[in-house]
Each structure stands twice: as C-alpha cells, then as structure tokens.
C-alpha cells in the first residue's frame, strides 16, 4: 500500500518556538512586575524605618521625662515635713552633692556646675544646654527609736535598715533636719547607727551635735539636739540632669544623670546615660506670685521656685525624615515641686 509522504511530514506551525518579539514583551512585563515589587518593598521598608525611628524618639522622650520629673517633684523634700530648717554638720569639702543647698538649682547653657564639666569627651556636658541639680531625702527611710547625742548613736527600728558606713544621710523631725555622715552602721546585724566626729572619714562630721546653728557649730559636741522616737533617717539623694556627649557616638548627644553614691565609704559621683538622641534641654522656672516662667539666671531665691518647665529636643538615630534628614521632635512639660505647693 502506497503512503503519501506529505501526510507524515512534520507541521512547522506545531514545532515553531517563541518569537523574539514575544520574548521581549515577556521580559518587559516581567521587569515591570519586579520593579513594582521592589518599589513596594522599598516604600514599606522606608515607612518602617520612619515609624521605628519616631517610636524610639517618643520612647526616649517618655523615659527621660518620667525619670527626671519623678525627682523634680520631690526636690527639697525630706521624710518629715516641708520647710524645716536644715543644718549640715559635714566637714567643709569640695565633694559634689553633699550640700543641701536650696533643694533645686538650675544652670543656663553657659553656667558651669560641679556635677559635669563642659567638654567633648563621652559624658561631658554640651555647652549651650541647661542643667539642673536636685536634693531630697531618698526613699527607704528608717524610724528612730532612741537617740543619744553625747555618744552620737541612733537606735533604729530594724536591723535591716540598709544604711552603710560612709553614707551621707539626713535625719529629721517636725522641728529641724540634720545632714551628716554615718560613721558606723552594721546593716543586718544591729540597730545602732553612729554619727561620730573626728574620725578619718571623707568628708567626716565636724561635730557630734546635730542641733540647728547658723553657721553650724563645729566644736566636738557642737549644738546638742536629741531626735526623739519616730524621727526619720534616710540617705541624702543628690542628682543632676544635663545634656552630654553620647558614650556610643561622640557626634551625638544624650540625656545624662549624675548621682551622689557611696563608693567604698567615700561619697563620689556616678554619671549614667539615660536617653540617647536628646539634643537639647531648656529649663524655665516659676515663682509664686508670677505668671511667667523665667530662665535660671533670673532666679534670685531658689527656695521660692514652685514649678519647672522642661523642654527636650530629640533627634532620631537615622536620617529618615524629609530630605533624608533626621527626625526632630520637641517635647515640653511642666513639673510641679510638691514640697513647695503643699
């Protein structure tokens, strides 16, 4: 049987491939899809970076303000009563934070204070930014059961009083308060807290007497005063807040706190970085009988300051703002000094 060769020849239409034009169209469509996906990814990534940096700025503002405001509210306060006269029997010394002073004192951007020096090293204060010092009795006070001024000994209500040799402390009742250094205390062992004078401590007490005198009587027995039962002893809390050079990047700034601490029985300063990206801090103060907040160099009596207006300027760590600039935010709050408004 004869077969027609034409019937078994392959069809060129069935075995033909993709034309060059079709391939180019497919590539263009694919590139458009990829470009759109990349654009969406980049846009979402940028939106995430903006939101992340903004949330960090807001978090730093919240943390910095809350911690500083907590101390400002207690400025000038002791565990007993407001506005009692306060005597300081510490030996005259240059140790920052050991003086009671006014409870609160501010410094403009050009005024120096002992808690931090101007400079460019990590932790140094940035020139042109304000600073503030705060004094108060620290939490965790203990109650006096008995006081013998001649032997310079307190008996307190618990052996777990938490007081240590070398602590700068404040004792008070509803008549007066006294600032002194603890010369003997055995936390967890006995209830006796000693405030002797004439020892080798730094700075040490100039007198055993804790009674009020202006200036303090620095003879051995000084001005005797016996604190009665239910008087209170607490550590002296001294701190300052300022804008310093960041410890992680010398080109950036942070909000710093410096505290008076007991280092092996000797009062010393400890600075710590609280919130990064805080570029500036401006402080203004209110005095009763006035309606305007004024800078620190306008205050003549710090004992009259009743409120502080805190303005923090913050900057993001990355340049995610308009025109690839860092995000900047300014936050303002007013803090009332509770011990001046009771």
């Amino acid at each position: 049987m004869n077969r027609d060769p034409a019937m078994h020849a392959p069809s060129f239409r069935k075995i033909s491939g993709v034309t060059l034009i079709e391939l180019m169209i497919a590539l263009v469509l694919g590139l458009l899809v990829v470009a759109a996906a990349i654009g969406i990814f980049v846009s979402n990534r940028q939106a995430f970076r903006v939101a992340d940096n903004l949330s960090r700025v807001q978090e730093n503002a919240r943390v910095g303000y809350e911690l500083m405001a907590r101390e400002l509210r207690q400025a000038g306060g002791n565990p007993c009563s407001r506005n009692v006269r306060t005597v300081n029997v510490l030996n005259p010394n240059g140790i920052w934070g050991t003086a009671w002073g006014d409870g609160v004192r501010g410094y403009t951007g050009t005024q120096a204070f002992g808690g931090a020096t101007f400079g460019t090293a990590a932790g140094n204060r940035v020139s042109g930014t304000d600073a503030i010092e705060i004094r108060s009795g620290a939490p965790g006070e203990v109650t006096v059961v008995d006081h013998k001024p001649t032997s310079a000994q307190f008996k307190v209500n618990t052996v777990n009083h938490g007081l240590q040799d070398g602590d700068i402390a404040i004792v008070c009742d509803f008549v007066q308060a006294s600032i002194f250094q603890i010369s003997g205390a055995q936390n967890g062992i006995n209830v006796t807290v000693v405030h002797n004078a004439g020892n080798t401590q730094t700075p040490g007490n100039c007198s055993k007497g804790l009674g009020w005198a202006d200036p303090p009587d620095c003879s051995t027995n000084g001005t005797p005063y016996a604190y009665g039962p239910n008087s209170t002893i607490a550590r002296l809390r001294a701190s300052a807040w300022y804008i310093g050079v960041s410890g992680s990047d010398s080109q950036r700034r942070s909000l710093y706190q410096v505290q008076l601490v007991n280092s092996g029985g000797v009062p010393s300063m400890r600075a710590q970085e609280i919130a990064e990206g805080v570029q500036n801090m401006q402080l203004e103060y209110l005095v009763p009988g006035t309606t305007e907040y004024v800078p620190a160099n306008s205050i003549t009596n710090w004992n009259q300051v009743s409120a502080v207006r805190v303005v923090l300027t913050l900057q993001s760590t990355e340049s995610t703002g308009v025109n690839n600039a860092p995000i900047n935010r300014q936050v303002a709050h007013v803090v009332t000094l509770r011990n001046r408004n009771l």
Side-chain angles (χ1 to χ4, degrees):
M1 182 177 180
N2 295 328
R3 296 181 179 178
D4 187 355
M7 295 176 62
H8 301 282
S11 172
F12 289 102
R13 182 175 296 277
K14 291 181 180 180
I15 65 174
S16 62
V18 179
T19 65
L20 180 59
I21 294 176
E22 291 173 333
L23 179 62
M24 292 179 65
I25 292 173
L27 288 174
V28 170
L29 292 175
L31 288 175
L32 289 175
V33 172
V34 171
I38 292 174
I40 293 172
F41 172 77
V42 171
S43 177
N44 288 341
R45 183 173 181 274
Q46 180 65 13
F48 171 79
R49 291 179 62 209
V50 171
D52 183 57
N53 277 266
L54 185 57
S55 66
R56 290 185 183 182
V57 167
Q58 293 171 337
E59 179 68 11
N60 288 336
R62 186 187 66 82
V63 170
Y65 169 73
E66 287 296 332
L67 293 177
M68 184 165 59
R70 189 178 305 171
E71 291 192 356
L72 276 171
R73 293 188 188 103
Q74 302 299 325
N78 63 65
C80 300
S81 179
R82 64 188 291 260
N83 295 333
V84 295
R85 57 191 185 181
T86 303
V87 61
N88 189 335
V89 300
L90 296 174
N91 283 314
N93 64 87
I95 300 174
W96 177 84
T98 57
W100 178 253
D102 309 298
V104 61
R105 179 174 288 270
Y107 301 86
T108 64
T110 58
Q111 293 176 318
F113 78 105
T117 58
F118 290 114
T120 57
N124 284 167
R125 183 179 166 202
V126 177
S127 180
T129 61
D130 290 354
I132 190 168
E133 292 180 330
I134 304 166
R135 306 283 192 277
S136 67
E141 62 269 10
V142 294
T143 301
V144 173
V145 175
D146 183 47
H147 179 210
K148 292 182 170 56
T150 54
S151 59
Q153 291 185 352
F154 290 104
K155 285 188 177 180
V156 296
N157 62 328
T158 175
V159 296
N160 299 311
H161 44 70
L163 300 171
Q164 305 289 339
D165 290 5
D167 280 349
I168 305 299
I170 180 169
V171 57
C172 63
D173 56 20
F174 291 97
V175 176
Q176 69 161 53
S178 306
I179 294 173
F180 65 97
Q181 187 170 27
I182 295 174
S183 58
Q186 294 178 302
N187 180 47
I189 299 176
N190 64 46
V191 295
T192 301
V193 176
V194 184
H195 58 92
N196 259 324
N199 50 45
T200 58
Q201 283 184 300
T202 302
N205 300 313
C206 72
S207 172
K208 293 190 294 183
L210 300 180
W212 164 258
D214 187 17
D217 182 351
C218 277
S219 61
T220 302
N221 292 320
T223 304
Y225 184 84
Y227 281 94
N230 298 319
S231 299
T232 303
I233 301 176
R235 289 187 184 88
L236 176 68
R237 179 168 63 185
S239 65
W241 295 82
Y242 66 96
I243 303 301
V245 179
S246 175
S248 59
D249 185 350
S250 60
Q251 302 302 312
R252 294 185 57 76
R253 303 177 182 181
S254 296
L255 178 66
Y256 274 83
Q257 178 199 47
V258 59
Q259 292 179 304
L260 178 69
V261 297
N262 184 343
S263 178
V266 178
S268 61
M269 295 186 303
R270 181 181 64 194
Q272 52 186 342
E273 195 171 359
I274 300 298
E276 64 176 352
V278 185
Q279 296 296 105
N280 198 357
M281 178 170 66
Q282 296 298 311
L283 303 168
E284 293 182 318
Y285 306 87
L286 181 68
V287 175
T290 64
T291 57
E292 288 190 18
Y293 286 83
V294 296
N297 54 13
S298 297
I299 301 296
T300 56
N301 187 350
W302 286 97
N303 284 312
Q304 295 181 347
V305 171
S306 60
V308 183
R309 184 173 185 266
V310 182
V311 181
L312 299 178
T313 302
L314 298 100
Q315 187 178 91
S316 63
T317 56
E318 296 181 301
S319 299
T320 57
V322 179
N323 296 325
N324 290 324
I327 297 173
N328 289 280
R329 291 292 185 271
Q330 191 173 80
V331 182
H333 295 281
V334 172
V335 183
T336 299
L337 278 60
R338 293 175 179 170
N339 296 290
R340 306 279 174 86
N341 292 275
L342 296 176

